[in-house]
Amino acid sequence: PSAQMITLMWSFIVSIYSIGGLLGSLPAGYLAVRFGRKKAMLFANIPAVLGAALMGLSRLCGSFEMIVAGRLFSGICGGKLAFLPVYAGEISPKKLRGFINVTSTVFLALGKTVARILGLRELLGSRSLWPMLMASCGLPALVQLVTLPFFPESPPYLLMHKGDQEGCKKAIRQLWGEGQHQADIDDIMKEKATMKNTKILSVLELVKEPAFRWQLYMIIILTATIQLCGINAV
């Protein structure tokens, strides 16, 4: 292929991840409520493993289309990362909830740093080892697929969406140990009562709602600033 075609293919491979992220994030809210936080996270690992397998085998099969498809599936998994902070925050005790929520962004930055180090030509970024580098993204997904079934479902989800008070108590004891947790259950019940009187807005309704206009402007400006600050080029 010509140099222009190679540049086009490379650009498409890089940018298709964002399209996958958009596709993965659209049904994230529905899946988290329909199947629960834990099952939704398990489902999110399937496209990650599939994408890693496609990219890892792309050189052996001589197919750049497999890299495109693998990046798309990896992006779909990335779009469903919203499950992780929700689940982590809901299974943590109230006094540690803020700290646990912050750690998700810390480990996200740590993962990017590790990926850049592994991508050096002296490590896995060489001509012969790059398929292994691209397939390495499936390793965390495999670890989560094996370990997550041993974790309980989110206590707030069990109580607020399923109405399973006994299941909620069992999950709390498994997560936080034996003890008096009635105060935490009461807090969840108060939150459930508050949610009954709260209307869930669609994206279009959120954009049209005047009460959230300035918050929306702030989020858009911050997001655009992150994209334009040069960190992507770095």
Side-chain angles (χ1 to χ4, degrees), residues 71-231:
R71 288 278 295 172
L72 178 65
F73 283 121
S74 296
I76 291 173
C77 173
K80 297 184 185 303
L81 283 177
F83 299 142
L84 181 58
V86 173
Y87 180 73
E90 289 182 353
I91 67 172
S92 58
K94 184 184 293 186
K95 60 182 179 181
L96 297 176
R97 195 162 297 160
F99 170 76
I100 295 298
N101 285 332
V102 171
T103 58
S104 62
T105 56
V106 173
F107 281 106
L108 183 62
L110 180 62
K112 290 182 178 180
T113 303
V114 171
R116 279 159 174 73
I117 293 173
L118 292 177
L120 295 174
R121 295 187 184 277
E122 292 79 7
L123 297 176
L124 297 180
S126 64
R127 184 182 293 271
S128 59
L129 296 178
W130 66 261
M132 187 181 300
L133 173 66
M134 300 190 77
S136 63
C137 64
L139 183 60
L142 285 174
V143 172
Q144 195 174 82
L145 277 173
V146 173
T147 58
L148 194 58
F150 297 99
F151 284 73
E153 182 54 89
S154 160
Y157 172 78
L158 290 172
L159 189 57
M160 295 171 62
H161 295 280
K162 294 295 184 181
D164 186 0
Q165 189 163 350
E166 288 302 318
C168 175
K169 291 179 180 178
K170 182 180 178 181
I172 288 177
R173 286 195 297 267
Q174 186 177 346
L175 289 166
W176 306 339
E178 299 294 335
Q180 294 296 326
H181 302 296
Q182 188 59 43
D184 299 288
I185 296 175
D186 292 340
D187 288 340
I188 298 173
M189 292 299 295
K190 290 178 183 177
E191 186 178 351
K192 181 179 180 180
T194 303
M195 285 184 63
K196 285 184 178 179
N197 301 322
T198 303
K199 180 184 178 182
I200 305 299
L201 299 178
S202 66
V203 175
L204 187 60
E205 289 173 334
L206 177 65
V207 173
K208 291 181 176 180
E209 179 58 51
F212 301 120
R213 193 65 48 80
W214 282 106
Q215 294 92 323
L216 195 61
Y217 289 157
M218 189 178 299
I219 291 172
I220 292 172
I221 292 171
L222 286 173
T223 305
T225 304
I226 292 171
Q227 296 302 317
L228 298 175
C229 71
I231 188 62

Side-chain angles (χ1 to χ4, degrees), residues 28-82:
Y30 168 78
L31 293 175
V33 174
R34 176 68 176 82
F35 298 103
R37 281 49 164 158
K38 189 177 81 169
K39 287 183 179 179
M41 288 175 62
L42 284 170
F43 293 153
N45 288 301
I46 296 174
V49 174
L50 181 58
L54 287 170
M55 292 187 290
L57 296 173
S58 60
R59 182 176 181 177
L60 182 64
C61 299
S63 171
F64 78 91
E65 292 90 351
M66 292 176 66
I67 303 178
V68 175
R71 288 278 295 172
L72 178 65
F73 283 121
S74 296
I76 291 173
C77 173
K80 297 184 185 303
L81 283 177

